[in-house]
Amino acid sequence: MARYDSLLDASGGTPLVGLPRLSPTVPDGAPPVRLWAKLEDRNPTGSIKDRAALFMVRAAEEAGRLRPGDTILEPTSGNTGISLAMVAKLRGYRLVCVMPENVSIERVQLLRMYGAEIIFSPAAGGSNQAVATAKQIAADHPDWVMLYQYGNEANARAHYETTGPELLHDLPTITHFVAGLGTTGTLMGTGRYLREKVDGIQVVAAEPRYGELVYGLRNIDEGYVPELYDATVLSRRFSVGTRDAVLRTRQLVEVEGIFAGFSTGAILHAALAVAHEAVRDGRRADVAFVVCDGGWKYLSTGAYGGTLADAEDALEGQLWA
Amino acid sequence: MAIEVRIPTILRSYTGGAKVVEGAGDTLGDLLADLDSRHAGLRGRLVTEAGALHRFVNVYVNDEDVRFLGALDAKLNDGDSVTILPAVAGGAFGFAAAAAIAAQVSQRAALAAR
């Protein structure tokens, strides 16, 4: 389908494309091992988060939590804010985003362009400061609505109802699904759907491993696990460092012409790992992975060119996924 | 050869400030016991009294989460690399801030319901 009533209706239905050059070669007579990329950058604001934003807003409307003219509050340094800003604009809400002042300039420009208001929290304080700022804002504005993507079932449901069925329709022979682990919504929703439909499906998580600055000095007892996370949905979980993520992101554009953000590089790294294992074990594999967004928002990091060590330095201390 | 273990900033008080230490063991549980013999108290920060990995600690063997490899029973080999990290959801900023607001909102709802 190529005609839609509005931009909101054009979310999802993204292409799944084969990667014939990046897929590992198998010995003569061995079963094929193929990589497939789900191009989520083809969503209305250019990221997979459009699916969750739309489902969360619709769920809040149906529950009577959101009424025309209401204000949505979202603490985010990433794509969710941009998706919500678009959905809020088209559905008639005001969006206030809270973010650390050290996020990339492209993100601030995009949010403002879509009409979002931004409250900055001091970068120096890291997540502790973000907690303090968020509490203050919530106390000052008790009528603002927060969708809380980390615990909102509509986030995972978006993927159970759309991403999962799309993948199975386009790739009935799927053996592995690989995606990034942040809110965990993509993996929980798509993973649950595929587990119900595909015997032996492997659901594989790739999580970014940032530089030390990001983990900070917080006590281990103050750690966070999103409420949506259910470890039984996953088969395996990989931690991918900055260097590997940058290397794969560059490889994806150099070899297959797909220009993606760094979280996609981390996911591709895990996808290649399971693909090469399948080759070693002589098993057939159709490995589908998520391209979360395009690389445009990250160009100013400078991490697409120069040496890998330079790129690693450029991303040190940044939330690149 | 031994097993290389990467220690997060918050636990380096147990390793004299060292980022990387070496240890030995056939399983992760054995390795942590071995480390604790030289870095007393480290194991207690990673393993609960009930003998499970602490909820907010993630341990990776060669970049793979040990919870999917048998947790403390995960098999280790010489030359493996083990990384210990505090659990911080992707986008530490967003989650920390969102959790804070959600907690405040539910407190308010509980008060209103009284």
Side-chain angles (χ1 to χ4, degrees), chain A residues 6 18-19 57 66 76-77 94 96-97 114 118 122 124 132-133 160 181 183 231 233 252-253 262 276 302:
Chain A
S6 82
L19 302 186
V57 167
L66 263 181
T76 175
S77 54
R94 175 172 166 242
V96 176
C97 284
Y114 279 113
I118 301 172
T133 304
Y160 184 89
L181 194 71
T183 70
V233 177
L252 190 57
V253 68
F262 298 111
H276 282 286

Side-chain angles (χ1 to χ4, degrees), chain A residues 11 57-58 143 191 292 295:
Chain A
S11 112
V57 167
R58 278 197 186 137
D143 54 324
C292 313

Side-chain angles (χ1 to χ4, degrees), chain A residues 165-183:
Chain A
E166 287 171 27
L167 277 166
L168 188 60
H169 177 268
D170 294 338
L171 189 64
T173 54
I174 186 170
T175 57
H176 298 74
F177 172 65
V178 191
L181 194 71
T183 70

